[in-house]
mmCIF file of all heavy atoms in Angstrom:
data_model
loop_
_atom_site.group_PDB
_atom_site.id
_atom_site.type_symbol
_atom_site.label_atom_id
_atom_site.label_comp_id
_atom_site.label_asym_id
_atom_site.label_seq_id
_atom_site.Cartn_x
_atom_site.Cartn_y
_atom_site.Cartn_z
ATOM 1 N N VAL A 239 249.611 77.501 136.402
ATOM 2 C CA VAL A 239 249.173 76.423 137.288
ATOM 3 C C VAL A 239 249.576 75.077 136.705
ATOM 4 O O VAL A 239 250.035 74.153 137.428
ATOM 5 C CB VAL A 239 247.651 76.492 137.506
ATOM 6 C CG1 VAL A 239 247.146 75.225 138.185
ATOM 7 C CG2 VAL A 239 247.311 77.707 138.387
ATOM 8 N N ALA A 240 249.460 74.899 135.389
ATOM 9 C CA ALA A 240 249.765 73.623 134.741
ATOM 10 C C ALA A 240 251.285 73.344 134.674
ATOM 11 O O ALA A 240 251.660 72.262 134.244
ATOM 12 C CB ALA A 240 249.171 73.596 133.347
ATOM 13 N N ASP A 241 252.085 74.305 135.059
ATOM 14 C CA ASP A 241 253.541 74.048 135.114
ATOM 15 C C ASP A 241 253.924 73.145 136.267
ATOM 16 O O ASP A 241 255.026 72.577 136.287
ATOM 17 C CB ASP A 241 254.321 75.372 135.230
ATOM 18 C CG ASP A 241 254.263 76.186 133.962
ATOM 19 O OD1 ASP A 241 253.959 75.627 132.906
ATOM 20 O OD2 ASP A 241 254.539 77.402 134.036
ATOM 21 N N GLY A 242 253.010 73.012 137.256
ATOM 22 C CA GLY A 242 253.276 72.091 138.358
ATOM 23 C C GLY A 242 254.333 72.556 139.334
ATOM 24 O O GLY A 242 254.956 71.737 139.994
ATOM 25 N N GLN A 243 254.515 73.864 139.477
ATOM 26 C CA GLN A 243 255.461 74.417 140.408
ATOM 27 C C GLN A 243 254.707 75.081 141.595
ATOM 28 O O GLN A 243 253.838 75.923 141.343
ATOM 29 C CB GLN A 243 256.368 75.465 139.748
ATOM 30 C CG GLN A 243 257.113 74.942 138.509
ATOM 31 C CD GLN A 243 258.363 74.163 138.875
ATOM 32 O OE1 GLN A 243 258.760 74.119 140.043
ATOM 33 N NE2 GLN A 243 258.976 73.562 137.905
ATOM 34 N N ILE A 244 255.027 74.696 142.804
ATOM 35 C CA ILE A 244 254.353 75.241 143.998
ATOM 36 C C ILE A 244 255.248 76.257 144.651
ATOM 37 O O ILE A 244 256.402 75.928 145.040
ATOM 38 C CB ILE A 244 254.013 74.120 144.982
ATOM 39 C CG1 ILE A 244 253.159 73.019 144.308
ATOM 40 C CG2 ILE A 244 253.272 74.669 146.196
ATOM 41 C CD1 ILE A 244 252.958 71.793 145.190
ATOM 42 N N GLN A 245 254.753 77.461 144.863
ATOM 43 C CA GLN A 245 255.517 78.480 145.575
ATOM 44 C C GLN A 245 255.711 78.044 147.015
ATOM 45 O O GLN A 245 254.772 77.685 147.717
ATOM 46 C CB GLN A 245 254.756 79.826 145.528
ATOM 47 C CG GLN A 245 255.489 80.923 146.283
ATOM 48 C CD GLN A 245 254.672 82.185 146.390
ATOM 49 O OE1 GLN A 245 253.787 82.423 145.590
ATOM 50 N NE2 GLN A 245 254.964 82.999 147.392
ATOM 51 N N TYR A 246 256.953 78.072 147.441
ATOM 52 C CA TYR A 246 257.307 77.703 148.827
ATOM 53 C C TYR A 246 258.184 78.826 149.342
ATOM 54 O O TYR A 246 259.409 78.769 149.225
ATOM 55 C CB TYR A 246 258.034 76.356 148.814
ATOM 56 C CG TYR A 246 258.318 75.751 150.180
ATOM 57 C CD1 TYR A 246 257.269 75.278 150.962
ATOM 58 C CD2 TYR A 246 259.610 75.681 150.661
ATOM 59 C CE1 TYR A 246 257.525 74.706 152.189
ATOM 60 C CE2 TYR A 246 259.868 75.130 151.906
ATOM 61 C CZ TYR A 246 258.838 74.630 152.674
ATOM 62 O OH TYR A 246 259.081 74.088 153.897
ATOM 63 N N GLY A 247 257.523 79.889 149.876
ATOM 64 C CA GLY A 247 258.260 81.101 150.187
ATOM 65 C C GLY A 247 258.687 81.765 148.893
ATOM 66 O O GLY A 247 257.873 81.974 147.991
ATOM 67 N N SER A 248 259.959 82.067 148.778
ATOM 68 C CA SER A 248 260.431 82.691 147.538
ATOM 69 C C SER A 248 261.063 81.653 146.579
ATOM 70 O O SER A 248 261.519 81.997 145.522
ATOM 71 C CB SER A 248 261.483 83.767 147.871
ATOM 72 O OG SER A 248 262.565 83.185 148.574
ATOM 73 N N ILE A 249 261.065 80.386 147.000
ATOM 74 C CA ILE A 249 261.517 79.308 146.116
ATOM 75 C C ILE A 249 260.296 78.506 145.657
ATOM 76 O O ILE A 249 259.177 78.910 145.938
ATOM 77 C CB ILE A 249 262.562 78.402 146.785
ATOM 78 C CG1 ILE A 249 261.954 77.709 148.030
ATOM 79 C CG2 ILE A 249 263.795 79.224 147.202
ATOM 80 C CD1 ILE A 249 262.898 76.714 148.692
ATOM 81 N N ARG A 250 260.506 77.411 144.953
ATOM 82 C CA ARG A 250 259.371 76.656 144.497
ATOM 83 C C ARG A 250 259.667 75.169 144.538
ATOM 84 O O ARG A 250 260.808 74.724 144.474
ATOM 85 C CB ARG A 250 258.956 77.101 143.076
ATOM 86 C CG ARG A 250 260.009 76.883 142.025
ATOM 87 C CD ARG A 250 259.574 77.515 140.710
ATOM 88 N NE ARG A 250 260.529 77.185 139.619
ATOM 89 C CZ ARG A 250 260.356 77.555 138.361
ATOM 90 N NH1 ARG A 250 259.298 78.300 138.018
ATOM 91 N NH2 ARG A 250 261.210 77.200 137.422
ATOM 92 N N VAL A 251 258.583 74.382 144.629
ATOM 93 C CA VAL A 251 258.640 72.911 144.674
ATOM 94 C C VAL A 251 258.027 72.384 143.411
ATOM 95 O O VAL A 251 256.934 72.761 143.014
ATOM 96 C CB VAL A 251 257.894 72.383 145.913
ATOM 97 C CG1 VAL A 251 257.855 70.870 145.873
ATOM 98 C CG2 VAL A 251 258.525 72.890 147.193
ATOM 99 N N ASP A 252 258.744 71.444 142.779
ATOM 100 C CA ASP A 252 258.278 70.866 141.492
ATOM 101 C C ASP A 252 257.487 69.587 141.766
ATOM 102 O O ASP A 252 257.966 68.692 142.490
ATOM 103 C CB ASP A 252 259.516 70.573 140.633
ATOM 104 C CG ASP A 252 259.186 70.261 139.178
ATOM 105 O OD1 ASP A 252 258.034 69.949 138.894
ATOM 106 O OD2 ASP A 252 260.100 70.346 138.342
ATOM 107 N N GLN A 253 256.297 69.489 141.183
ATOM 108 C CA GLN A 253 255.460 68.309 141.368
ATOM 109 C C GLN A 253 255.947 67.095 140.572
ATOM 110 O O GLN A 253 255.470 65.984 140.764
ATOM 111 C CB GLN A 253 254.027 68.628 140.977
ATOM 112 C CG GLN A 253 253.283 69.574 141.923
ATOM 113 C CD GLN A 253 252.594 68.849 143.041
ATOM 114 O OE1 GLN A 253 253.106 67.877 143.585
ATOM 115 N NE2 GLN A 253 251.408 69.315 143.383
ATOM 116 N N ARG A 254 256.928 67.245 139.690
ATOM 117 C CA ARG A 254 257.420 66.125 138.912
ATOM 118 C C ARG A 254 258.223 65.165 139.817
ATOM 119 O O ARG A 254 258.866 65.587 140.763
ATOM 120 C CB ARG A 254 258.301 66.628 137.765
ATOM 121 C CG ARG A 254 257.505 67.407 136.715
ATOM 122 C CD ARG A 254 258.439 68.218 135.799
ATOM 123 N NE ARG A 254 257.718 69.020 134.846
ATOM 124 C CZ ARG A 254 257.143 70.218 135.081
ATOM 125 N NH1 ARG A 254 257.238 70.733 136.301
ATOM 126 N NH2 ARG A 254 256.515 70.840 134.149
ATOM 127 N N VAL A 255 258.155 63.879 139.478
ATOM 128 C CA VAL A 255 258.831 62.839 140.280
ATOM 129 C C VAL A 255 259.957 62.226 139.464
ATOM 130 O O VAL A 255 259.981 62.260 138.240
ATOM 131 C CB VAL A 255 257.841 61.746 140.703
ATOM 132 C CG1 VAL A 255 256.724 62.315 141.571
ATOM 133 C CG2 VAL A 255 257.258 61.035 139.482
#
Side-chain angles (χ1 to χ4, degrees):
V239 168
D241 290 341
Q243 304 279 352
I244 304 172
Q245 179 187 337
Y246 188 70
S248 60
I249 62 175
R250 61 187 188 178
V251 175
D252 193 341
Q253 290 271 40
R254 293 163 182 80
V255 298

